[in-house]
């Protein structure tokens, strides 16, 4: 908008300067011409008294030399013939006009201007005696006709350029005054979209932008209030789970001593911890708007070993073969421990829900200088539509699926600059590749969205639904 305003001002000022400077330049040129010929007429009139007194050549030559154009050799006298002769008897000075022009002036008795080589001549008729007409010829060079015109045009051009530059400078300052508030408003909207809810815009600038800033600040306040209400609602709804959880815990305590009973009691305790975490998080007064620092990270290998200990027991009950690799050394990642645990539970829970009993699965952890890659693969039927599987809520129509599991994993990966890719595993089923960045880098996939691994061998089954 700033440059558009400058361009408009530049175009308008240029047109105004051209509209006034060009006619004014032509007027200056015409005035210089009129001045030159008016001076020539005045000089021609100075010789008229001498012509009315005498026609003696010597006297007339002296009179011509006393004038400015005569001394410069630019004045000529054409003396008429006497008696019955017609025309001119003598010429004093250099003649530049043609005989036809001289005769025309003598017979008409009116002054005229004729162009000749190097300039123009003024032919001024003057009465000599009772019936004679002498013609005074004054040569006016082109340089004298255009004297001062070039300087005047340069001055006009300088004034025009100064006006254009001044208008552009003023337009630029006005543009800054209008653009800066708009730029701050756009930056604040971007910050708000990134989650920095404390962003506000100074309410200054033109009236329209000031009104927009007021509306933006009001909207930001409303967003904070709505999020606060949503957190309170989530906390209230989560708190309602305490009663059935208490009953479930009491029932689990009466199951006796067996591996299944221990697993049930551990699951109930974990569920209670998760509910408590949800309530505490939802009750926080200020929303989390900045990424966590180093303290927010965790050891991915430790968390994976812990969660695999839980899921391996269930896998043993269902006759599933389990393989775990790559967790023998620490892998520090910028993800909070509960978030990584929730993502792993979502991936492994999908394996148990969407593959038949006895289906093998594996978890592999790969380390690199810029990322930690977690691979969860199985020997099931695979995922029919990998792209739709990563879209939030797309699997709600599938039995036993909310469509949010892979979305939880995707958000964990993208919070570190990573991503989730879906392909075929070496086991024949689905392979979920979670790329967790260590320094905010993103993998290069050409902007094509979810990457589907190369097809290896097809297994029986129609393919898994969106998870």
């Amino acid at each position: 908008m700033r440059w558009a305003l400058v361009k408009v001002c530049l175009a308008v000022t240029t047109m105004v300067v051209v509209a006034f400077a060009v006619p004014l330049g032509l007027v200056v040129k015409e005035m210089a011409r009129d001045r030159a010929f008016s001076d020539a007429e005045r000089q021609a009139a100075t010789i008229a008294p001498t012509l009315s007194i005498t026609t003696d050549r010597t006297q007339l030559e002296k009179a011509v030399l006393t004038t400015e154009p005569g001394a410069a050799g630019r004045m000529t006298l054409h003396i008429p013939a006497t008696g019955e002769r017609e025309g001119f008897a003598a010429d004093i000075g250099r003649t530049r006009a043609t005989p036809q022009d001289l005769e025309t002036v003598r017979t008409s008795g009116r002054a005229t201007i004729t162009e000749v080589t190097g300039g123009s001549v003024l032919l001024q008729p003057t009465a000599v005696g009772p019936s004679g007409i002498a013609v005074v010829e004054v040569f006016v060079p082109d340089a004298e006709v255009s004297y001062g015109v070039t300087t005047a045009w340069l001055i006009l051009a300088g004034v025009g350029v100064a006006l254009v530059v001044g208008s552009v400078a003023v337009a630029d300052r006005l543009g800054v005054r209008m653009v800066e508030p708009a730029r701050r408003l756009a930056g604040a909207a971007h910050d708000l979209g990134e989650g920095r809810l404390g962003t506000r815009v100074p309410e200054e600038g033109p009236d329209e932008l000031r009104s927009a800033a007021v509306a933006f600040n009001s909207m930001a306040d409303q967003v904070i209030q709505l999020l606060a209400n949503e957190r309170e609602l989530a906390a209230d709804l989560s708190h309602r789970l305490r009663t059935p959880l208490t009953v479930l815990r009491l029932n689990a305590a009466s199951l006796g001593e067996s591996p299944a009973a221990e697993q049930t009691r551990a699951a109930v305790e974990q569920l209670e911890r998760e509910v408590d975490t949800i309530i505490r998080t939802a009750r926080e007064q200020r929303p989390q708007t900045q990424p966590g620092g180093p303290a927010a990270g965790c050891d991915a290998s430790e968390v994976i070993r812990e969660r695999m200990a839980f899921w391996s027991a269930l896998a043993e009950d269902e006759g599933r073969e389990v393989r775990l690799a790559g967790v023998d050394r620490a892998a520090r990642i910028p993800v909070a421990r509960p978030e990584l645990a929730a993502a792993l539970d979502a991936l492994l829970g999908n394996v148990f829900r969407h593959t038949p009993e006895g289906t093998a699965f594996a978890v592999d952890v790969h380390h690199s200088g810029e990322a930690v890659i977690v691979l969860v693969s199985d020997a099931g039927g695979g995922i029919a539509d990998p792209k739709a599987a990563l879209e939030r809520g797309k699997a709600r129509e599938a039995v036993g699926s909310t469509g949010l599991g892979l979305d939880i994993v995707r958000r964990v990966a993208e919070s570190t600059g990573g991503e989730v890719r879906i392909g075929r595993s070496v086991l024949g089923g689905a392979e979920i590749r979670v790329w967790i960045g260590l320094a905010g880098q993103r993998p290069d996939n050409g902007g094509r969205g979810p990457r589907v691994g190369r097809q290896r061998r097809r297994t029986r089954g129609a393919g898994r639904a969106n998870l």
Side-chain angles (χ1 to χ4, degrees):
M1 184 172 65
R2 174 182 176 184
W3 290 113
L5 182 61
V6 169
K7 291 177 182 178
V8 170
C9 220
L10 175 63
V12 172
T13 308
T14 302
M15 289 189 293
V16 171
V17 168
V18 170
F20 281 93
V22 172
L24 189 57
L26 296 177
V27 169
V28 169
K29 181 179 180 181
E30 190 64 26
M31 290 177 63
R33 176 183 174 85
D34 292 343
R35 183 187 66 248
F37 285 107
S38 297
D39 187 62
E41 289 178 359
R42 182 180 57 80
Q43 295 293 339
T46 60
I47 203 69
T50 304
L51 284 173
S52 64
I53 296 173
T54 180
T55 58
D56 181 67
R57 185 181 184 88
T58 302
Q59 296 294 328
L60 291 176
E61 286 179 353
K62 292 180 180 180
V64 169
L65 290 175
T66 59
T67 63
E68 181 181 347
R74 294 189 282 110
M75 178 180 284
T76 304
L77 296 181
H78 300 279
I79 308 302
T82 58
E84 296 180 357
R85 293 176 55 191
E86 294 184 356
F88 300 98
D91 295 331
I92 300 174
R94 179 185 173 186
T95 302
R96 293 178 176 84
T98 63
Q100 293 81 0
D101 293 333
L102 294 172
E103 185 62 26
T104 300
V105 172
R106 187 185 68 82
T107 55
S108 65
R110 292 180 298 179
T112 185
I113 297 173
T114 303
E115 293 185 359
V116 296
T117 303
S120 302
V121 292
L122 170 67
L123 301 177
Q124 179 70 44
T126 303
V128 178
S131 60
I133 299 294
V135 176
V136 180
E137 177 184 334
V138 180
F139 175 67
V140 182
D142 288 337
E144 189 171 331
V145 172
S146 61
Y147 179 76
V149 174
T150 301
T151 303
W153 282 4
L154 289 177
I155 293 175
L156 288 175
V159 172
V161 170
L163 288 175
V164 171
V165 172
S167 66
V168 169
V170 172
D172 182 69
R173 291 301 89 197
L174 291 176
V176 169
R177 184 172 178 269
M178 290 188 295
V179 169
E180 285 301 323
R183 186 174 297 162
R184 287 195 297 267
L185 184 61
H190 178 76
D191 292 341
L192 186 64
E194 292 291 333
R196 292 182 281 274
L197 302 182
T199 302
R200 294 296 183 272
V201 181
E203 298 174 2
E204 57 187 20
D207 293 340
E208 294 79 4
L209 293 176
R210 188 182 300 112
S211 300
V214 172
F216 176 86
N217 293 336
S218 177
M219 178 192 68
D221 294 336
Q222 291 294 327
V223 168
I224 292 178
Q225 183 61 41
L226 290 174
L227 290 177
N229 294 339
E230 183 179 353
R231 292 195 305 273
E232 289 296 328
L233 178 60
D236 292 342
L237 294 177
S238 300
H239 194 272
R240 297 180 186 179
L241 297 176
R242 285 183 176 275
T243 300
L245 278 175
T246 301
V247 176
L248 185 60
R249 180 167 55 81
L250 295 176
N251 291 338
S254 63
L255 293 178
E257 300 295 333
S258 67
E262 290 297 329
Q263 293 173 6
T264 302
R265 283 191 286 269
V268 172
E269 291 177 359
Q270 180 186 359
L271 185 58
E272 286 183 329
R273 289 195 299 270
E274 294 294 339
V275 171
D276 291 340
T277 301
I278 292 174
I279 294 175
R280 285 195 301 270
T281 303
R283 290 292 184 184
E284 290 181 358
Q285 296 299 318
R286 298 180 62 183
Q288 180 72 21
T289 59
Q290 299 292 339
C298 67
D299 182 359
S301 298
E302 179 183 351
V303 176
I304 292 174
R305 288 195 301 268
E306 176 186 319
R307 299 315 303 153
M308 283 299 294
F310 171 79
W311 290 101
S312 296
L314 296 179
E316 183 178 355
D317 292 343
E318 294 187 0
R320 298 175 182 267
E321 181 182 350
V322 180
R323 180 174 62 84
L324 178 63
V327 294
D328 52 340
R329 65 188 179 104
R332 193 76 186 179
I333 60 174
V335 177
R337 185 186 188 93
E339 295 180 3
L340 179 60
L344 289 172
D345 289 342
L347 291 174
L348 297 175
N350 283 336
V351 174
F352 279 80
R353 280 191 296 270
H354 300 288
T355 60
E357 294 187 7
T359 302
F361 68 93
V363 177
D364 298 282
V365 180
H366 299 277
H367 307 262
S368 68
E370 64 177 10
V372 170
I373 301 173
V374 179
L375 297 178
V376 177
S377 53
D378 61 62
I383 298 178
D385 190 349
K387 182 178 180 181
L390 291 176
E391 296 181 12
R392 183 178 177 87
K394 280 298 184 78
R396 290 180 179 178
E397 296 179 359
V399 177
S401 176
T402 62
L404 302 180
L406 285 181
D407 183 71
I408 294 174
V409 180
R410 178 183 59 80
R411 285 188 285 113
V412 169
E414 290 181 352
S415 68
T416 66
E419 67 175 5
V420 177
R421 299 177 181 179
I422 301 177
R424 279 283 183 179
S425 70
V426 294
L427 299 178
E431 177 187 85
I432 311 298
R433 180 184 296 263
V434 185
W435 198 98
I436 301 175
L438 301 181
Q441 300 100 330
R442 286 192 60 83
D444 183 13
N445 65 346
R448 292 185 296 273
R451 180 178 175 182
V452 181
R454 60 186 180 186
Q455 299 291 330
R456 293 183 173 88
R457 61 184 181 86
R458 295 188 177 273
T459 57
R460 58 188 177 178
R464 195 187 312 173
N466 300 344
L467 307 179

